[in-house]
Amino acid sequence: MWLGLDVGGTHTDAVVVDENGIVATAKVVTDHANLIQSVQKAFEQIFRSYPSDEVKKKLKRINLSTTLSTNAIVEGKTENVGVIVSSGPGIHPSHFKIEQHYFPISGSIDHRGKEISKLNAEELRKAIDACKKDGIKVFSAVTKFSTRNPSHEEQIRDACADADFVTLGHRISGKLGFPRRIGTAYLNSAVWRLFNAFADAIEKNLVSMEIHCPVHILKADGGTIPLAEARKLPVESILSGPAASTMGISSLCRIAGDAVALDIGGTTTDISVFADGEPLIEPHGITVGKFPTLVRSLYTRSIGIGGDSAIVAIDGKVQVGPTRYGPSMAEGGDVPTLLDAMNYLKKISHGDVDLSVRGIERLAKEARISAKQLSLMAIDFAFTTIKEAVDALLKEVNEKPVYTIHEMIEGKVVQPTSVYAMGGPSRAFLPLLEEKFALPVHVPNNYAVANAIGAALARTTYEIELHADTERGKLSIPNIGKFESCERNYSIENAKIDLINHLLSHLQSIGISITESDVQIVEASSFNIVSGFYTSGKNIRARAQVKPAVEITLYSRNNA
Amino acid sequence: MIEAKRKLGLIFFPAFDWAISPTHPEREERLLYTQDQLWEEGIFDIKGIVEYKPDIASEEDIKRTHFCIPNVAAVITQSHMISAGGAIKAARLVMEGNADRAFALVRPPGHHAMKVVHGNRGFCNINIEAVMIEYIREHYGHRRIAIVDTDCHHGDGTQDIYWHDPNVLYISLHQDGRTLYPGSGFLDELGGPNALGKTINIPLPPMTSSEGFLYVIDNAVLPILEMFQPDIVINSAGQDNHYTDPITNMNFSAQGYAILNDKLNPHIAVLEGGYSIQGALPYVNLGIVLAMAGVDYSGVVEPDYHERAIRQDKSISEYIAKICDEAVRNYKRFHESFSHHRAIGQFQTRVKNIYYDTDGIREKQVESVMICDECAGVLKIETVSSVNPLSVGIEIPFAACSRCRDVGVKLFREAKESGKYAYAKFINRIDREYIDS
Ligand SMILES: [Zn+2]
Ligand SMILES: [Zn+2]
């Protein structure tokens, strides 16, 4: 039995899932001043429909998704951070200034991880003093190529001895990208206190309810990490919503081959893509507000069209969305929406159809076109927009740059053969989607709560990246803090074995037990290092992941 | 977030699975550290810089440019189709207005590949700039094009392909041919009878540093471009003039390359050579990318850069000034008056011996061009090499006059009927007929 808990939106939702599907749900209005009370109320609702003793006994894990960090970032309500960066040859770090307390320090490390010049201790001391004077308590330390050699970031951390928290850039991700590393490390420290206060309260709350199962945090890549880990990397908790839906659909439907998944809500439609039955991961990292980050995420796009998107008619042109003024007229709203147009054309019968008809007729009269034409145009606009957004996303996926002749010639082309739809209006949308996409469209039974199911059933994901330079005798797996020496004859085969072993033991150390078969080597390459005309070593790069997956699939009980 | 002043399309294709041989300078990891540097700098998060996948060039793209003996398929591999396709993609981005500037950061390179191809010379099989230029002319019409080749080696292939073309200006800056492969590119190589002055060579002495290169740009290249008035400027952006390059003897720097690019402001740059894969390429490429996008590149300095250690000698500066004067004078002479006596309608012939260093092939050519005052002139090349028997290629050039077209059709028919040639190739740009048999 697994529990998904979504805290922080308008509503706090909880859903309990076991092999039979959903066994209990709860929905309470979130009291933002007292989140913990909202959580407590949600549990009380659950216990009303399912005995609390049973829940406490059978519950294997709670997956928590929260918009707490995201909202704080988007609204700019985060703590001030002392951001200390070093640089090296290239774009001047002043271009990446992210907040007031931003200090580039001289010192540099090159692309192979060699220290080119020492970190300037005097400049560093002055920077920290300036932060202290302004009462800064949390810091981020980011240096160029720190994934190859973290020593400068460590020196910065050591110099911030009495800080409450310091984010080290290389512990976020093994990926290259100095500006993104700066942004991500900054955000991580900026939400650290807020997130930890929330985590403290949740944990206290659960203890008081005598619930002792592990608590995980849902991430944007469709996976989870233990709460204890998320306390150090709270930035991982951002923008997990769309991923929950994608994981939900992969539990509810047997997705084989290439597919598109649509989560259709009141105001937006989230698009995600499956290749060979697995959700695609975005290659760089998610963008939150104005910050591109290194936070791993599923490949999703959101467009401003949903069932409640308002219809606007100007000069004979009809548009739908992105604005929502309220529910559809069929549900008592004031402005006709996409759902009302569908009601008018008798494509669906949703709520009070008469109200829809009246609203559409009124708008049509104002626009001097027939009500039927208005409805047809609105529907065509909406579904054309969705289709175009899907096509654009697929184009982007398929035009993703590749770097070998093999991939250029043999590279996989994602060509969806089916569409999966979830979210409130999806059943109503089905025939129109089928018409537009000319593909079979599946809508699972529990389509309205797919995201809650996904949140409850998502499993741990993790990604590590190895870089070995046998000429220098150095090996690194930055985000788990492994920096070791390696032998001259270290090979790509050694690297693959090391990746698997390190990933398994790291996950074990944070309380996750998985087996070797859950680990996937995503890429591995080995290059000669040539000095003069002789091979003097190898430069090896390899990456492994525990890919997004759900605990159990529910599709045997589903019609899709 | 940094914003680019000019929209830059970047085609980055390092061909990580292709090498001439494992320790050859043209090997898999040539652009590995460049990729590391570009990614770490966050180049693709700069607003206005977009990374694109290369196109794959078609056989027709090659056939319209080269005479491949025995045929296209035999002398090229997929790697060449992709690097040429990368250059084509760069051109398309600019021509179709999706980018202001484009940089094809691709390999393998091309500027030693000549009109006739029997194999690989100077690490090149097909001339990717020429394939791109002919693509531009075929698809976007008649254009006046200038190529500025800043590779350390003389681009003898590009020179050969455009030797007769009065609408393509080829300027090459390179280490003096008396001291470096391929041993050509002297001041007096000025183009064929129909295109005199449209080939300009600026051979530079070993140890020329940034000061010398930038002097040439300011005092020779830019004044000549100003007179030629090209529609499109292309930079063959070789990076082997760098002070750390293992196979050359120059003292150019990443800052220098960036400033050069800034001054030249090419529409399209195409990577050529450059074999200091750790010490130079990451920084030089970064500098060129930033300069093309109009982003501050002042921080792009190699870790081991010491201005004083590579400063050029005064005697070098004086020598370069003299060379520049002469190059400009040569260009002006034919730019202002082209009235020397020419026997219109007659053929002028030259004999060439060509060595393919990479593949060890020897080739002998007899090249005849018809003297014409209306177009580049119909071209006939008879070729024999250590790997192929006597063959022939006839070209009716781009925008040929009707006389040259008619003569070309007749020459090809006669060549076929003569039975003398193992292979007879035909490039007919007027009727878009390309015969590769
Ligand atoms: Zn070269
Ligand atoms: Zn002519």
Side-chain angles (χ1 to χ4, degrees):
Chain A
M1 181 180 278
W2 298 268
L3 190 147
L5 183 63
D6 180 1
V7 190
T10 325
H11 292 96
T12 291
D13 292 291
V15 50
V16 180
V17 183
D18 70 7
E19 285 76 4
N20 300 308
I22 293 179
V23 295
T25 60
K27 192 181 211 61
V28 299
V29 175
T30 307
D31 176 359
H32 285 271
N34 195 348
L35 286 178
I36 298 313
Q37 203 188 10
S38 311
V39 171
Q40 200 139 12
K41 278 189 183 158
F43 271 93
E44 280 162 14
Q45 269 189 32
I46 294 281
F47 296 149
R48 251 174 263 149
S49 57
Y50 207 93
S52 66
D53 290 359
E54 290 280 296
V55 172
K56 287 172 192 172
K57 202 165 67 197
K58 290 186 188 161
L59 204 55
K60 291 192 181 130
R61 194 178 60 226
I62 294 171
N63 284 347
L64 192 61
S65 77
T66 171
T67 51
L68 190 74
S69 307
T70 313
N71 290 346
I73 291 165
V74 174
E75 290 160 18
K77 291 177 183 159
T78 52
E79 184 173 352
N80 290 338
V81 181
V83 181
I84 298 176
V85 305
S86 86
S87 180
I91 299 171
H92 196 274
S94 62
H95 290 288
F96 309 123
K97 180 164 180 174
I98 202 159
E99 84 131 279
Q100 194 193 339
H101 300 90
Y102 179 86
F103 299 92
I105 307 288
S106 33
S108 75
I109 285 164
D110 80 357
H111 45 75
R112 279 183 68 191
K114 280 186 282 195
E115 183 180 70
I116 300 299
S117 60
K118 291 202 178 325
L119 197 67
N120 187 314
E122 179 59 20
E123 289 173 28
L124 178 58
R125 194 185 54 75
K126 279 190 184 152
I128 293 170
D129 286 349
C131 291
K132 275 190 193 158
K133 217 180 91 208
D134 289 353
I136 302 281
K137 293 271 199 260
V138 291
F139 289 82
S140 295
V142 185
T143 64
K144 207 175 270 184
F145 288 112
S146 61
T147 53
R148 305 268 159 93
N149 176 350
S151 61
H152 287 185
E153 286 182 358
E154 286 162 351
Q155 286 168 37
I156 296 170
R157 176 200 55 201
D158 295 346
C160 302
D162 40 7
D164 290 347
F165 185 71
V166 183
T167 302
L168 300 183
H170 70 276
R171 295 306 295 264
I172 292 164
S173 162
K175 283 197 163 54
L176 295 176
F178 183 54
R180 280 180 186 255
R181 198 179 304 128
I182 294 172
T184 319
Y186 158 72
L187 293 176
N188 197 57
S189 292
V191 299
W192 173 81
R193 197 178 308 276
L194 178 75
F195 185 87
N196 274 274
F198 172 71
D200 288 344
I202 289 277
E203 280 184 333
K204 217 169 99 191
N205 215 227
L206 291 174
V207 167
S208 74
M209 287 189 283
E210 293 174 314
I211 297 171
H212 301 294
C213 69
V215 178
H216 280 213
I217 293 291
L218 196 68
K219 302 186 294 173
D221 72 352
T224 69
I225 42 166
L227 184 59
E229 286 294 295
R231 282 172 173 275
K232 291 179 273 178
L233 265 182
V235 70
E236 286 281 358
S237 71
I238 58 171
L239 300 171
S240 59
S245 311
T246 310
M247 297 320 290
I249 206 83
S250 64
S251 173
L252 290 170
C253 304
R254 186 195 300 272
I255 300 178
D258 299 348
V260 169
L262 303 173
D263 182 6
I264 305 158
T267 48
T268 57
T269 295
D270 292 338
I271 307 163
S272 55
V273 180
F274 287 77
D276 298 325
E278 284 170 15
L280 279 185
I281 306 256
E282 212 269 333
H284 302 291
I286 203 162
T287 295
V288 56
K290 59 181 182 180
F291 306 102
T293 73
L294 289 170
V295 174
R296 214 164 92 113
S297 139
L298 294 185
Y299 224 130
T300 58
R301 285 290 177 281
S302 194
I303 53 166
I305 293 206
D308 297 342
S309 296
I311 301 174
V312 184
I314 309 164
D315 302 335
K317 277 198 191 123
V318 175
Q319 280 190 19
V320 179
T323 323
R324 173 187 193 263
Y325 297 106
S328 60
M329 294 189 70
E331 286 174 355
D334 301 324
V335 178
T337 70
L338 183 58
L339 278 175
D340 293 316
M342 292 168 69
N343 256 349
Y344 182 88
L345 291 175
K346 301 194 169 59
K347 301 257 178 204
I348 55 169
S349 175
H350 180 85
D352 188 336
V353 177
D354 286 344
L355 288 175
S356 292
V357 171
R358 237 175 286 158
I360 291 286
E361 279 172 348
R362 194 189 65 208
L363 185 64
K365 205 170 157 199
E366 283 167 22
R368 293 163 208 255
I369 47 176
S370 77
K372 188 179 169 194
Q373 200 185 355
L374 176 85
S375 304
L376 285 171
M377 286 168 82
I379 288 170
D380 185 62
F381 179 90
F383 286 86
T384 302
T385 307
I386 293 173
K387 176 71 165 50
E388 282 173 357
V390 169
D391 289 346
L393 179 60
L394 289 170
K395 186 163 179 270
E396 192 182 303
V397 165
N398 287 324
E399 285 184 359
K400 182 174 78 79
V402 295
Y403 305 111
T404 60
I405 291 158
H406 176 79
E407 288 170 284
M408 200 56 206
I409 306 296
E410 312 281 337
K412 155 127 188 124
V413 177
V414 178
Q415 278 173 316
T417 51
S418 48
V419 176
Y420 294 86
M422 66 200 121
S426 47
R427 185 76 80 194
F429 279 25
L430 188 141
L432 292 157
L433 289 171
E434 271 189 336
E435 192 184 312
K436 201 76 203 174
F437 281 84
L439 289 174
V441 177
H442 308 281
V443 177
N445 273 342
N446 290 311
Y447 61 90
V449 287
N451 56 342
I453 293 173
L457 294 178
R459 297 179 55 176
T460 300
T461 52
Y462 218 91
E463 182 179 59
I464 60 174
E465 218 161 301
L466 178 148
H467 181 260
D469 185 328
T470 67
E471 191 191 48
R472 300 190 63 229
K474 302 266 187 204
L475 180 153
S476 64
I477 308 177
N479 60 332
I480 59 170
K482 279 263 174 291
F483 291 88
E484 298 175 339
S485 57
C486 69
E487 301 290 325
R488 282 194 86 81
N489 59 0
Y490 191 81
S491 71
I492 191 165
E493 294 312 318
N494 298 131
K496 289 180 188 170
I497 294 166
D498 275 357
L499 269 177
I500 292 170
N501 289 341
H502 282 306
L503 188 47
L504 290 177
S505 68
H506 177 72
L507 288 178
Q508 192 133 45
S509 75
I510 60 172
I512 311 285
S513 65
I514 54 161
T515 59
E516 204 178 314
S517 61
D518 294 321
V519 180
Q520 217 182 14
I521 302 288
V522 190
E523 58 184 53
S525 53
S526 173
F527 296 92
N528 288 331
I529 298 172
V530 178
S531 305
F533 287 94
Y534 299 96
T535 304
S536 56
K538 289 211 176 324
N539 194 306
I540 297 166
R541 289 113 190 265
R543 191 156 60 89
Q545 69 164 349
V546 179
K547 66 186 181 199
V550 285
E551 289 291 349
I552 50 163
T553 52
L554 299 172
Y555 45 71
S556 52
R557 309 180 187 282
N558 224 288
N559 63 341
Chain B
M1 196 181 203
I2 305 176
E3 213 167 305
K5 277 207 214 87
R6 289 181 287 267
K7 255 165 76 182
L8 174 68
L10 189 52
I11 298 92
F12 182 72
F13 188 72
F16 282 145
D17 50 355
W18 185 83
I20 290 179
S21 74
T23 56
H24 192 281
E26 194 51 74
R27 62 178 183 266
E28 290 93 342
E29 76 274 25
R30 190 172 153 226
L31 292 175
L32 180 67
Y33 304 103
T34 292
Q35 183 184 63
D36 284 353
Q37 193 75 37
L38 295 183
W39 282 4
E40 180 69 352
E41 297 289 342
I43 284 298
F44 300 109
D45 284 330
I46 294 177
K47 200 173 165 221
I49 299 184
V50 181
E51 185 179 14
Y52 293 92
K53 213 175 178 170
D55 287 346
I56 300 180
S58 69
E59 222 176 273
E60 175 152 331
D61 294 327
I62 314 302
K63 287 194 296 193
R64 125 176 16 105
T65 311
H66 287 289
F67 298 128
C68 296
I69 317 287
N71 54 52
V72 172
V75 296
I76 58 141
T77 65
Q78 277 168 339
S79 64
H80 304 106
M81 289 305 216
I82 299 171
S83 75
I88 288 174
K89 177 75 181 190
R92 284 181 46 214
L93 288 170
V94 174
M95 295 299 128
E96 289 163 18
N98 294 312
D100 301 322
R101 299 287 181 266
F103 183 14
L105 198 38
V106 298
R107 56 183 286 271
H111 77 151
H112 295 302
M114 296 182 164
K115 188 83 193 168
V116 177
V117 178
H118 287 265
N120 183 303
R121 59 188 306 278
F123 317 165
C124 309
N125 286 54
I126 52 167
N127 194 303
I128 61 176
E129 284 94 336
V131 169
M132 171 183 85
I133 289 168
E134 296 319 311
Y135 184 97
I136 291 174
R137 301 212 284 193
E138 186 85 351
H139 292 88
Y140 307 100
H142 196 170
R143 302 265 188 167
R144 230 170 137 75
I145 293 169
I147 309 163
V148 180
D149 188 331
T150 51
D151 189 276
C152 189
H153 301 89
H154 175 231
D156 54 349
T158 314
Q159 169 169 309
D160 180 69
I161 292 170
Y162 292 108
W163 186 251
H164 299 294
D165 197 323
N167 284 310
V168 177
L169 170 66
Y170 177 68
I171 306 178
S172 177
L173 286 64
H174 49 265
Q175 185 176 329
D176 195 312
R178 288 168 295 189
T179 61
L180 189 70
Y181 178 89
S184 54
F186 298 100
L187 277 164
D188 58 358
E189 295 167 34
L190 289 165
N194 296 329
L196 272 169
K198 299 300 182 285
T199 294
I200 295 290
N201 282 294
I202 305 175
L204 299 170
M207 312 306 233
T208 297
S209 73
S210 296
E211 183 195 338
F213 281 96
L214 298 176
Y215 182 92
V216 176
I217 296 296
D218 287 335
N219 295 282
V221 176
L222 293 178
I224 293 172
L225 287 177
E226 179 61 33
M227 290 184 271
F228 180 72
Q229 287 290 315
D231 302 327
I232 304 169
V233 177
I234 291 156
N235 178 209
S236 288
Q239 305 178 0
D240 37 11
N241 284 301
H242 195 264
Y243 63 88
T244 61
D245 198 274
I247 62 175
T248 63
N249 315 94
M250 301 301 244
N251 278 333
F252 208 18
S253 65
Q255 250 319 285
Y257 264 109
I259 297 171
L260 179 152
N261 190 283
D262 203 358
K263 287 174 182 283
L264 190 62
N265 192 13
H267 297 89
I268 302 163
V270 179
L271 177 69
E272 278 294 334
Y275 301 97
S276 171
I277 64 173
Q278 290 187 46
L281 265 60
Y283 310 108
V284 176
N285 280 314
L286 176 63
I288 293 176
V289 167
L290 296 179
M292 287 189 88
V295 174
D296 170 31
Y297 53 77
S298 60
V300 183
V301 179
E302 304 83 341
D304 59 356
Y305 177 77
H306 295 290
E307 197 267 328
R308 233 194 266 148
I310 56 167
R311 195 179 291 169
Q312 79 191 26
D313 201 79
K314 210 172 137 228
S315 63
I316 292 182
S317 306
E318 287 163 3
Y319 178 79
I320 291 174
K322 263 197 285 188
I323 301 262
C324 286
D325 284 349
E326 199 170 333
V328 173
R329 230 182 1 257
N330 282 339
Y331 180 85
K332 271 190 182 152
R333 182 146 58 103
F334 298 107
H335 181 73
E336 282 157 10
S337 68
F338 205 78
S339 61
H340 64 296
H341 275 292
R342 298 195 305 157
I344 307 290
Q346 299 288 302
F347 278 87
Q348 194 174 79
T349 297
R350 60 173 178 158
V351 176
K352 291 186 278 183
N353 289 297
I354 297 157
Y355 181 58
Y356 292 67
D357 59 321
T358 321
D359 284 351
I361 299 168
R362 288 182 187 284
E363 181 196 3
K364 187 170 180 177
Q365 281 184 14
V366 178
E367 182 202 84
S368 319
V369 66
M370 192 162 91
I371 298 179
C372 182
D373 52 1
E374 291 175 58
C375 74
V378 63
L379 181 74
K380 174 181 174 184
I381 303 178
E382 292 179 281
T383 171
V384 61
S385 76
S386 49
V387 291
N388 290 302
L390 182 67
S391 303
V392 72
I394 313 284
E395 181 185 50
I396 298 169
F398 181 76
C401 68
S402 61
R403 181 181 52 202
C404 284
R405 179 196 170 270
D406 295 346
V407 172
V409 170
K410 184 165 143 273
L411 283 176
F412 182 65
R413 195 177 56 233
E414 286 171 1
K416 291 276 285 189
E417 286 167 4
S418 73
K420 264 168 61 184
Y421 305 108
Y423 307 101
K425 311 284 168 183
F426 191 33
I427 298 175
N428 177 352
R429 295 298 294 277
I430 297 298
D431 306 298
R432 301 192 176 188
E433 185 184 4
Y434 312 111
I435 298 174
D436 181 42
S437 60

